[in-house]
Amino acid sequence: MKPKAEFYQVLISAELRTQGMRLLEHLIRKHLIFGGPVLNGPARFLWKNEIVEHDYSWILTFTRQDLRDELIREAEKESAEAICMISFAPFDGSPAFQALLEEAFNGRETAPEPKYKDAVAALAFVASSEIPMRTISSWGDLRRVQPVDPTR
């Protein structure tokens, strides 16, 4: 059995939601992050020995440990902030999530630039009897974790 890759959970700062979305897309296209939400809300910071308050944004994402320095370089190059605040925390997730991240980063050096899926998310009702079969089990076969179902 090959050793599992090590990953970080990453927070990347952005002063505005639009800056965060732009940075998120740039880093995804470079295959440096898995992707995730841009969270936004009220914040306070100690800046030049003054407390400043304004809405602030954070990208919440994941990266492979060996991509850390390249991610920092790319984020700082693309960030509009004076200091692009980036933090890394060791990732300890479910086996299925670990497998999903490994699958997402496999072959990243030669992978084509990702394209947008030609679809939109839509709410659907799922029969209660189908729920146990919708999520991949962390204790099952994790060689392929992304569903074959084109609707998912």
Side-chain angles (χ1 to χ4, degrees), residues 68-101:
R68 179 187 179 276
D69 292 347
E70 187 178 353
L71 188 159
I72 293 170
R73 280 191 291 277
E74 282 295 323
E76 289 178 345
K77 187 171 73 174
E78 289 295 312
S79 175
E81 293 188 277
I83 297 173
C84 182
M85 299 179 283
I86 306 171
S87 63
F88 299 87
F91 171 75
D92 181 22
S94 67
F97 193 9
Q98 175 81 22
L100 176 65
L101 291 175

